[in-house]
Amino acid sequence: MTYKVTLTAVGVAIIAAALSFAEPVQAGTCQPVKAKGVGKDMATATLYAQADLKQTAKSLRGRVTQTSTNCLPAPTGYRCKISAVVCPN
């Protein structure tokens, strides 16, 4: 009898320890997203990247809360990347 109780207690302790390291998954949390745009000048590349970001936020049914834009020269013009956070409405 004592062996079964001890084995059960150890099993419960192992399951509890495993679950304590798992992060909870919550519906409706914010997600990081990235958008890209390429254009002949920096303004056009940024405009395309913003349109891509808007479409991504729309498909996720959320709103953009934080953004960071990075534009670099490319062989054909400029390449802009926007990193953002999209949160549910």
Coordinates of all heavy atoms in Angstrom, one line a residue:
M1 N 0.8 -1.2 0.0 CA 0.0 0.0 0.0 C 0.9 1.3 0.0 O 0.6 2.2 -0.7 CB -0.9 -0.1 1.2 CG -1.8 1.1 1.4 SD -3.2 0.9 0.3 CE -4.1 2.4 0.7
T2 N 1.9 1.3 0.8 CA 2.8 2.4 0.9 C 3.5 2.7 -0.4 O 3.7 3.8 -0.8 CB 3.8 2.2 2.0 OG1 3.2 1.6 3.1 CG2 4.4 3.6 2.5
Y3 N 3.9 1.6 -1.1 CA 4.6 1.7 -2.4 C 3.7 2.4 -3.4 O 4.1 3.3 -4.2 CB 5.0 0.3 -2.9 CG 5.6 0.3 -4.2 CD1 6.9 0.8 -4.3 CD2 5.0 -0.1 -5.3 CE1 7.6 0.8 -5.6 CE2 5.6 -0.1 -6.6 CZ 6.9 0.3 -6.7 OH 7.5 0.3 -7.9
K4 N 2.4 2.1 -3.5 CA 1.5 2.7 -4.4 C 1.2 4.2 -4.1 O 1.2 5.0 -5.0 CB 0.1 1.9 -4.4 CG 0.2 0.6 -5.0 CD -1.2 -0.1 -5.0 CE -1.1 -1.5 -5.6 NZ -2.4 -2.1 -5.6
V5 N 1.2 4.5 -2.8 CA 1.0 5.9 -2.4 C 2.2 6.7 -2.8 O 2.1 7.8 -3.3 CB 0.6 6.0 -0.9 CG1 0.6 7.5 -0.5 CG2 -0.7 5.3 -0.6
T6 N 3.4 6.2 -2.6 CA 4.6 6.9 -2.9 C 4.7 7.0 -4.4 O 5.1 8.1 -4.9 CB 5.8 6.1 -2.3 OG1 5.6 5.9 -0.9 CG2 7.1 6.8 -2.6
L7 N 4.4 6.0 -5.1 CA 4.5 6.1 -6.6 C 3.5 7.1 -7.2 O 3.9 7.8 -8.1 CB 4.3 4.7 -7.2 CG 4.5 4.5 -8.7 CD1 5.9 4.9 -9.0 CD2 4.2 3.1 -9.1
T8 N 2.3 7.1 -6.6 CA 1.3 8.1 -7.0 C 1.8 9.5 -6.7 O 1.7 10.4 -7.5 CB 0.0 7.8 -6.4 OG1 -0.4 6.5 -6.7 CG2 -1.1 8.8 -6.9
A9 N 2.3 9.7 -5.5 CA 2.8 11.1 -5.2 C 4.0 11.5 -6.1 O 4.0 12.7 -6.4 CB 3.3 11.0 -3.7
V10 N 4.9 10.6 -6.4 CA 6.0 11.0 -7.3 C 5.4 11.3 -8.7 O 5.9 12.3 -9.3 CB 7.0 9.8 -7.4 CG1 8.0 10.0 -8.5 CG2 7.7 9.6 -6.0
G11 N 4.5 10.5 -9.2 CA 3.9 10.8 -10.5 C 3.2 12.2 -10.5 O 3.3 13.0 -11.5
V12 N 2.5 12.5 -9.5 CA 1.8 13.8 -9.4 C 2.9 14.9 -9.3 O 2.7 16.0 -9.9 CB 0.8 13.9 -8.2 CG1 0.3 15.3 -7.9 CG2 -0.3 12.9 -8.4
A13 N 3.9 14.7 -8.6 CA 5.0 15.7 -8.5 C 5.7 16.0 -9.8 O 6.0 17.1 -10.2 CB 6.0 15.3 -7.4
I14 N 5.9 14.9 -10.6 CA 6.5 15.0 -11.9 C 5.6 15.8 -12.8 O 6.0 16.7 -13.6 CB 6.9 13.7 -12.5 CG1 8.0 13.0 -11.7 CG2 7.2 13.7 -13.9 CD1 8.3 11.6 -12.0
I15 N 4.3 15.5 -12.8 CA 3.4 16.2 -13.7 C 3.3 17.7 -13.3 O 3.3 18.6 -14.2 CB 2.0 15.5 -13.7 CG1 2.1 14.2 -14.3 CG2 0.9 16.4 -14.3 CD1 0.8 13.3 -14.2
A16 N 3.2 18.0 -12.0 CA 3.2 19.4 -11.6 C 4.4 20.1 -11.9 O 4.4 21.3 -12.3 CB 3.0 19.4 -10.0
A17 N 5.6 19.5 -11.8 CA 6.8 20.2 -12.2 C 6.9 20.4 -13.7 O 7.3 21.5 -14.1 CB 8.0 19.3 -11.8
A18 N 6.4 19.5 -14.5 CA 6.4 19.7 -16.0 C 5.4 20.8 -16.3 O 5.8 21.7 -17.2 CB 6.0 18.4 -16.7
L19 N 4.3 20.9 -15.7 CA 3.3 22.0 -16.0 C 3.8 23.3 -15.5 O 3.4 24.3 -16.1 CB 2.0 21.6 -15.5 CG 1.3 20.4 -16.1 CD1 0.0 20.1 -15.4 CD2 1.0 20.7 -17.6
S20 N 4.6 23.4 -14.5 CA 5.1 24.7 -14.0 C 6.0 25.4 -15.0 O 6.1 26.6 -15.0 CB 5.7 24.5 -12.6 OG 7.0 23.8 -12.8
F21 N 6.7 24.6 -15.9 CA 7.6 25.2 -16.8 C 6.9 25.6 -18.1 O 7.4 26.3 -18.9 CB 8.7 24.3 -17.1 CG 9.7 24.1 -16.0 CD1 9.8 22.9 -15.3 CD2 10.5 25.2 -15.5 CE1 10.7 22.7 -14.3 CE2 11.3 25.0 -14.5 CZ 11.4 23.8 -13.8
A22 N 5.7 25.1 -18.4 CA 4.9 25.4 -19.6 C 4.3 26.7 -19.4 O 3.7 27.1 -18.4 CB 3.9 24.3 -19.9
E23 N 4.4 27.6 -20.5 CA 3.7 28.9 -20.4 C 2.3 28.7 -20.8 O 1.9 27.9 -21.7 CB 4.4 29.8 -21.4 CG 5.8 30.2 -21.0 CD 6.4 31.2 -21.9 OE1 5.7 32.0 -22.4 OE2 7.6 31.2 -22.1
P24 N 1.4 29.5 -20.2 CA 0.0 29.4 -20.6 C -0.3 30.0 -21.9 O 0.3 31.0 -22.3 CB -0.7 30.1 -19.5 CG 0.3 31.1 -19.0 CD 1.6 30.4 -19.1
V25 N -1.1 29.4 -22.7 CA -1.5 29.9 -24.0 C -2.8 30.6 -23.8 O -3.8 30.0 -23.4 CB -1.6 28.8 -25.1 CG1 -2.1 29.3 -26.4 CG2 -0.3 28.1 -25.2
Q26 N -2.8 31.9 -24.1 CA -4.0 32.7 -23.9 C -4.5 33.1 -25.3 O -3.8 33.6 -26.1 CB -3.8 33.9 -23.1 CG -3.3 33.6 -21.7 CD -3.0 34.8 -20.9 OE1 -3.1 35.9 -21.4 NE2 -2.6 34.6 -19.6
A27 N -5.8 33.0 -25.5 CA -6.4 33.4 -26.7 C -6.5 35.0 -26.7 O -6.8 35.6 -25.7 CB -7.8 32.9 -26.9
G28 N -6.1 35.5 -27.9 CA -6.2 37.0 -28.0 C -5.0 37.8 -27.5 O -5.1 38.9 -27.1
T29 N -3.8 37.2 -27.5 CA -2.7 37.9 -27.1 C -2.0 38.6 -28.2 O -2.3 38.3 -29.4 CB -1.6 36.9 -26.4 OG1 -1.3 35.9 -27.3 CG2 -2.2 36.3 -25.1
C30 N -1.2 39.5 -28.0 CA -0.5 40.3 -29.0 C 0.6 39.4 -29.7 O 1.2 38.5 -29.1 CB 0.2 41.5 -28.4 SG -1.0 42.7 -27.7
Q31 N 0.8 39.7 -31.0 CA 1.7 38.9 -31.8 C 2.7 39.8 -32.5 O 2.3 40.8 -33.1 CB 1.0 38.1 -32.9 CG 0.0 37.1 -32.3 CD -0.7 36.4 -33.5 OE1 -0.4 36.6 -34.6 NE2 -1.6 35.6 -33.1
P32 N 4.0 39.5 -32.5 CA 4.9 40.3 -33.4 C 4.8 39.9 -34.8 O 4.6 38.7 -35.2 CB 6.3 39.8 -32.8 CG 6.1 38.5 -32.2 CD 4.6 38.5 -31.8
V33 N 4.8 40.9 -35.7 CA 4.7 40.7 -37.1 C 5.8 41.5 -37.9 O 6.3 42.5 -37.3 CB 3.3 41.0 -37.7 CG1 2.2 40.1 -37.1 CG2 3.0 42.5 -37.4
K34 N 6.1 41.1 -39.1 CA 7.0 41.8 -39.9 C 6.4 42.1 -41.3 O 5.7 41.2 -41.8 CB 8.3 41.0 -40.1 CG 9.1 40.9 -38.7 CD 10.4 40.3 -38.9 CE 11.1 40.2 -37.5 NZ 12.4 39.8 -37.6
A35 N 6.7 43.2 -41.9 CA 6.2 43.6 -43.2 C 7.4 44.1 -44.0 O 8.3 44.7 -43.4 CB 5.1 44.6 -43.1
K36 N 7.4 43.9 -45.3 CA 8.5 44.3 -46.2 C 7.9 45.1 -47.3 O 6.8 44.9 -47.8 CB 9.2 43.1 -46.8 CG 9.9 42.2 -45.8 CD 10.5 41.1 -46.4 CE 11.1 40.1 -45.4 NZ 11.6 38.9 -46.1
G37 N 8.7 46.0 -47.8 CA 8.4 46.8 -49.0 C 9.6 47.2 -49.8 O 10.7 47.5 -49.2
V38 N 9.5 47.2 -51.1 CA 10.7 47.5 -52.0 C 10.2 48.6 -52.9 O 9.1 48.5 -53.5 CB 11.2 46.3 -52.8 CG1 12.3 46.7 -53.7 CG2 11.6 45.2 -51.8
G39 N 11.0 49.6 -53.1 CA 10.6 50.7 -54.0 C 11.8 51.4 -54.5 O 12.9 51.3 -54.1
K40 N 11.6 52.3 -55.5 CA 12.7 53.1 -56.1 C 13.2 54.1 -55.2 O 14.4 54.5 -55.3 CB 12.3 53.7 -57.5 CG 11.2 54.7 -57.4 CD 10.8 55.2 -58.7 CE 9.6 56.2 -58.5 NZ 9.2 56.8 -59.7
D41 N 12.4 54.6 -54.3 CA 12.9 55.6 -53.3 C 12.4 55.1 -51.9 O 11.6 54.2 -51.8 CB 12.5 57.0 -53.6 CG 11.0 57.2 -53.8 OD1 10.2 56.2 -53.5 OD2 10.6 58.3 -54.2
M42 N 12.9 55.8 -50.9 CA 12.6 55.4 -49.5 C 11.1 55.6 -49.2 O 10.5 54.7 -48.5 CB 13.5 56.2 -48.5 CG 13.4 55.6 -47.1 SD 14.5 56.4 -45.9 CE 16.1 56.3 -46.7
A43 N 10.5 56.6 -49.7 CA 9.1 56.9 -49.4 C 8.2 55.8 -50.0 O 7.2 55.4 -49.3 CB 8.7 58.3 -49.9
T44 N 8.5 55.4 -51.2 CA 7.7 54.4 -51.9 C 7.8 53.0 -51.2 O 6.9 52.3 -50.9 CB 8.1 54.2 -53.3 OG1 8.0 55.5 -54.0 CG2 7.2 53.3 -54.1
A45 N 9.1 52.7 -50.8 CA 9.3 51.4 -50.1 C 8.6 51.4 -48.7 O 8.0 50.4 -48.4 CB 10.8 51.2 -49.9
T46 N 8.6 52.5 -48.0 CA 7.9 52.6 -46.7 C 6.4 52.5 -46.9 O 5.7 51.8 -46.2 CB 8.3 53.9 -46.0 OG1 9.7 54.0 -45.9 CG2 7.6 54.0 -44.7
L47 N 5.9 53.1 -48.0 CA 4.5 53.0 -48.3 C 4.0 51.6 -48.6 O 3.0 51.1 -48.0 CB 4.1 53.9 -49.5 CG 2.7 54.0 -49.8 CD1 1.9 54.8 -48.8 CD2 2.5 54.8 -51.2
Y48 N 4.8 50.9 -49.3 CA 4.5 49.5 -49.6 C 4.6 48.6 -48.3 O 3.8 47.7 -48.2 CB 5.5 48.9 -50.7 CG 5.2 49.5 -52.1 CD1 6.2 49.5 -53.0 CD2 3.9 49.9 -52.5 CE1 6.0 50.0 -54.3 CE2 3.7 50.4 -53.7 CZ 4.7 50.5 -54.6 OH 4.5 51.0 -55.9
A49 N 5.6 48.9 -47.5 CA 5.7 48.1 -46.3 C 4.6 48.4 -45.3 O 4.0 47.5 -44.7 CB 7.1 48.4 -45.6
Q50 N 4.1 49.6 -45.3 CA 2.9 50.0 -44.4 C 1.7 49.3 -45.0 O 0.9 48.9 -44.2 CB 2.8 51.5 -44.4 CG 3.8 52.2 -43.6 CD 3.7 53.7 -43.7 OE1 3.0 54.3 -44.5 NE2 4.3 54.4 -42.7
A51 N 1.5 49.2 -46.3 CA 0.4 48.5 -46.8 C 0.4 47.0 -46.5 O -0.6 46.5 -46.2 CB 0.3 48.7 -48.4
D52 N 1.6 46.4 -46.6 CA 1.7 45.0 -46.2 C 1.4 44.8 -44.7 O 0.7 43.9 -44.3 CB 3.2 44.6 -46.5 CG 3.4 43.1 -46.2 OD1 2.4 42.3 -46.3 OD2 4.5 42.7 -46.0
L53 N 1.8 45.8 -43.9 CA 1.5 45.7 -42.4 C 0.0 45.8 -42.2 O -0.5 45.1 -41.4 CB 2.3 46.7 -41.7 CG 2.1 46.8 -40.2 CD1 2.5 45.5 -39.5 CD2 2.8 48.0 -39.6
K54 N -0.6 46.7 -42.9 CA -2.0 46.9 -42.7 C -2.8 45.7 -43.1 O -3.7 45.3 -42.4 CB -2.5 48.1 -43.6 CG -3.9 48.5 -43.5 CD -4.3 49.7 -44.3 CE -5.7 50.0 -44.2 NZ -6.1 51.1 -45.1
Q55 N -2.4 45.0 -44.2 CA -3.0 43.8 -44.7 C -2.8 42.7 -43.7 O -3.7 41.9 -43.4 CB -2.5 43.4 -46.0 CG -3.2 42.2 -46.6 CD -4.7 42.5 -46.9 OE1 -5.1 43.6 -47.2 NE2 -5.5 41.5 -46.9
T56 N -1.6 42.6 -43.1 CA -1.3 41.5 -42.1 C -2.2 41.7 -40.9 O -2.7 40.8 -40.3 CB 0.2 41.5 -41.8 OG1 0.9 41.4 -42.9 CG2 0.5 40.4 -40.8
A57 N -2.3 43.0 -40.4 CA -3.1 43.3 -39.2 C -4.6 43.0 -39.5 O -5.3 42.5 -38.6 CB -2.9 44.7 -38.8
K58 N -5.0 43.3 -40.7 CA -6.4 43.0 -41.0 C -6.7 41.5 -41.0 O -7.7 41.0 -40.5 CB -6.7 43.6 -42.4 CG -8.2 43.4 -42.8 CD -8.4 44.1 -44.1 CE -9.8 43.9 -44.6 NZ -10.1 44.5 -45.9
S59 N -5.7 40.7 -41.5 CA -5.9 39.3 -41.6 C -5.9 38.6 -40.2 O -6.5 37.6 -39.9 CB -4.9 38.6 -42.5 OG -3.6 38.7 -41.9
L60 N -5.1 39.3 -39.3 CA -5.1 38.8 -37.9 C -6.2 39.4 -37.0 O -6.3 39.1 -35.9 CB -3.7 39.2 -37.3 CG -2.5 38.5 -37.8 CD1 -1.3 39.0 -37.2 CD2 -2.6 37.0 -37.5
R61 N -7.0 40.3 -37.7 CA -8.1 40.9 -37.0 C -7.7 41.6 -35.7 O -8.2 41.4 -34.6 CB -9.2 39.9 -36.6 CG -9.9 39.3 -37.8 CD -11.0 38.4 -37.4 NE -11.5 37.8 -38.6 CZ -12.3 36.7 -38.6 NH1 -12.5 36.1 -37.5 NH2 -12.8 36.3 -39.8
G62 N -6.7 42.5 -35.9 CA -6.1 43.2 -34.8 C -5.7 44.6 -35.2 O -6.0 45.1 -36.3
R63 N -5.1 45.3 -34.3 CA -4.6 46.7 -34.5 C -3.1 46.7 -34.2 O -2.6 46.0 -33.3 CB -5.4 47.7 -33.7 CG -5.3 47.4 -32.2 CD -6.1 48.4 -31.4 NE -6.3 48.0 -30.0 CZ -5.4 48.0 -29.1 NH1 -4.2 48.5 -29.4 NH2 -5.7 47.6 -27.9
V64 N -2.4 47.6 -34.9 CA -1.0 47.7 -34.7 C -0.8 48.7 -33.5 O -1.3 49.7 -33.4 CB -0.4 48.3 -36.0 CG1 1.1 48.6 -35.8 CG2 -0.6 47.4 -37.2
T65 N 0.1 48.2 -32.6 CA 0.4 49.0 -31.4 C 1.8 49.6 -31.4 O 2.0 50.7 -31.0 CB 0.2 48.2 -30.1 OG1 1.0 47.1 -30.2 CG2 -1.3 47.8 -30.0
Q66 N 2.8 48.9 -31.8 CA 4.2 49.3 -31.8 C 4.8 49.1 -33.1 O 4.6 48.0 -33.7 CB 5.0 48.6 -30.7 CG 4.4 48.7 -29.3 CD 5.1 47.8 -28.4 OE1 6.1 47.2 -28.7 NE2 4.6 47.7 -27.2
T67 N 5.6 50.0 -33.6 CA 6.2 49.8 -34.9 C 7.7 50.3 -34.9 O 8.0 51.2 -34.1 CB 5.5 50.6 -36.1 OG1 5.5 51.9 -35.8 CG2 4.1 50.1 -36.3
S68 N 8.5 49.7 -35.7 CA 9.9 50.1 -35.9 C 10.2 49.8 -37.4 O 10.0 48.8 -37.9 CB 10.8 49.2 -35.0 OG 12.1 49.5 -35.3
T69 N 10.7 50.9 -38.1 CA 11.0 50.8 -39.5 C 12.5 50.9 -39.7 O 13.2 51.7 -39.1 CB 10.3 52.0 -40.2 OG1 8.9 52.0 -39.9 CG2 10.5 51.9 -41.7
N70 N 12.9 50.0 -40.7 CA 14.3 50.0 -41.0 C 14.4 50.0 -42.6 O 14.0 49.0 -43.2 CB 15.0 48.8 -40.4 CG 16.5 48.7 -40.7 OD1 17.1 49.7 -41.1 ND2 17.1 47.6 -40.5
C71 N 15.0 51.0 -43.2 CA 15.2 51.1 -44.6 C 16.7 51.1 -45.0 O 17.5 51.8 -44.4 CB 14.5 52.3 -45.2 SG 12.7 52.4 -45.0
L72 N 17.0 50.2 -46.0 CA 18.4 50.1 -46.4 C 18.4 50.2 -48.0 O 17.4 49.8 -48.6 CB 19.0 48.8 -46.0 CG 19.1 48.6 -44.5 CD1 19.5 47.1 -44.2 CD2 20.1 49.5 -43.9
P73 N 19.5 50.8 -48.5 CA 19.6 50.8 -50.0 C 19.7 49.4 -50.5 O 20.4 48.5 -49.9 CB 20.8 51.6 -50.3 CG 21.3 52.1 -49.0 CD 20.6 51.5 -47.9
A74 N 19.1 49.1 -51.7 CA 19.2 47.8 -52.3 C 19.6 48.1 -53.8 O 19.6 49.2 -54.2 CB 17.8 47.1 -52.3
P75 N 20.0 47.1 -54.5 CA 20.4 47.3 -55.9 C 19.4 47.9 -56.8 O 19.7 48.7 -57.7 CB 20.8 45.9 -56.4 CG 21.0 45.1 -55.2 CD 20.2 45.7 -54.1
T76 N 18.1 47.7 -56.5 CA 17.0 48.3 -57.3 C 16.4 49.5 -56.7 O 15.4 50.0 -57.2 CB 16.0 47.2 -57.6 OG1 15.4 46.8 -56.3 CG2 16.5 46.0 -58.3
G77 N 16.8 50.0 -55.6 CA 16.2 51.1 -54.9 C 16.4 51.0 -53.4 O 17.5 51.0 -52.9
Y78 N 15.3 50.9 -52.7 CA 15.3 50.8 -51.2 C 14.5 49.6 -50.8 O 13.5 49.2 -51.4 CB 14.8 52.0 -50.6 CG 15.8 53.2 -50.6 CD1 15.9 54.1 -51.6 CD2 16.7 53.3 -49.5 CE1 16.8 55.1 -51.6 CE2 17.6 54.3 -49.5 CZ 17.7 55.2 -50.6 OH 18.6 56.2 -50.6
R79 N 14.9 49.0 -49.7 CA 14.1 47.9 -49.1 C 13.8 48.3 -47.6 O 14.8 48.5 -46.9 CB 15.0 46.6 -49.1 CG 14.3 45.4 -48.5 CD 15.2 44.2 -48.5 NE 15.5 43.9 -49.9 CZ 15.0 42.9 -50.6 NH1 14.2 42.1 -50.1 NH2 15.3 42.7 -51.9
C80 N 12.6 48.3 -47.3 CA 12.1 48.7 -45.9 C 11.5 47.5 -45.3 O 10.7 46.8 -45.9 CB 11.2 49.9 -46.0 SG 11.9 51.4 -46.5
K81 N 11.8 47.4 -44.0 CA 11.2 46.3 -43.2 C 10.6 47.0 -41.9 O 11.2 47.8 -41.3 CB 12.3 45.3 -42.7 CG 12.9 44.5 -43.8 CD 13.9 43.6 -43.3 CE 14.6 42.8 -44.4 NZ 15.7 41.9 -44.0
I82 N 9.4 46.6 -41.6 CA 8.7 47.1 -40.5 C 8.4 46.0 -39.5 O 7.9 45.0 -39.9 CB 7.3 47.8 -40.8 CG1 7.5 49.0 -41.8 CG2 6.6 48.2 -39.6 CD1 6.3 49.7 -42.2
S83 N 8.9 46.2 -38.3 CA 8.6 45.2 -37.2 C 7.5 45.9 -36.4 O 7.6 47.0 -36.0 CB 9.8 45.0 -36.3 OG 10.8 44.4 -37.1
A84 N 6.5 45.1 -36.0 CA 5.3 45.7 -35.3 C 4.7 44.6 -34.4 O 5.1 43.4 -34.4 CB 4.3 46.2 -36.3
V85 N 3.8 45.1 -33.5 CA 3.1 44.2 -32.6 C 1.6 44.5 -33.0 O 1.1 45.6 -33.0 CB 3.4 44.6 -31.2 CG1 2.5 43.7 -30.2 CG2 4.8 44.3 -30.8
V86 N 0.9 43.4 -33.2 CA -0.5 43.4 -33.5 C -1.3 42.8 -32.4 O -1.0 41.6 -32.0 CB -0.8 42.7 -34.9 CG1 -2.3 42.7 -35.1 CG2 -0.1 43.4 -36.0
C87 N -2.2 43.6 -31.8 CA -3.0 43.1 -30.7 C -4.5 43.0 -31.1 O -4.9 43.7 -32.0 CB -2.9 44.1 -29.5 SG -1.3 44.1 -28.8
P88 N -5.2 42.1 -30.5 CA -6.6 41.9 -31.0 C -7.4 43.1 -30.6 O -7.1 43.9 -29.7 CB -7.1 40.7 -30.1 CG -6.1 40.6 -29.0 CD -4.8 41.2 -29.5
N89 N -8.5 43.4 -31.4 CA -9.3 44.5 -31.2 C -10.1 44.4 -29.9 O -10.5 43.5 -29.4 CB -10.3 44.7 -32.4 CG -9.6 45.2 -33.6 OD1 -8.6 45.9 -33.5 ND2 -10.1 44.8 -34.7

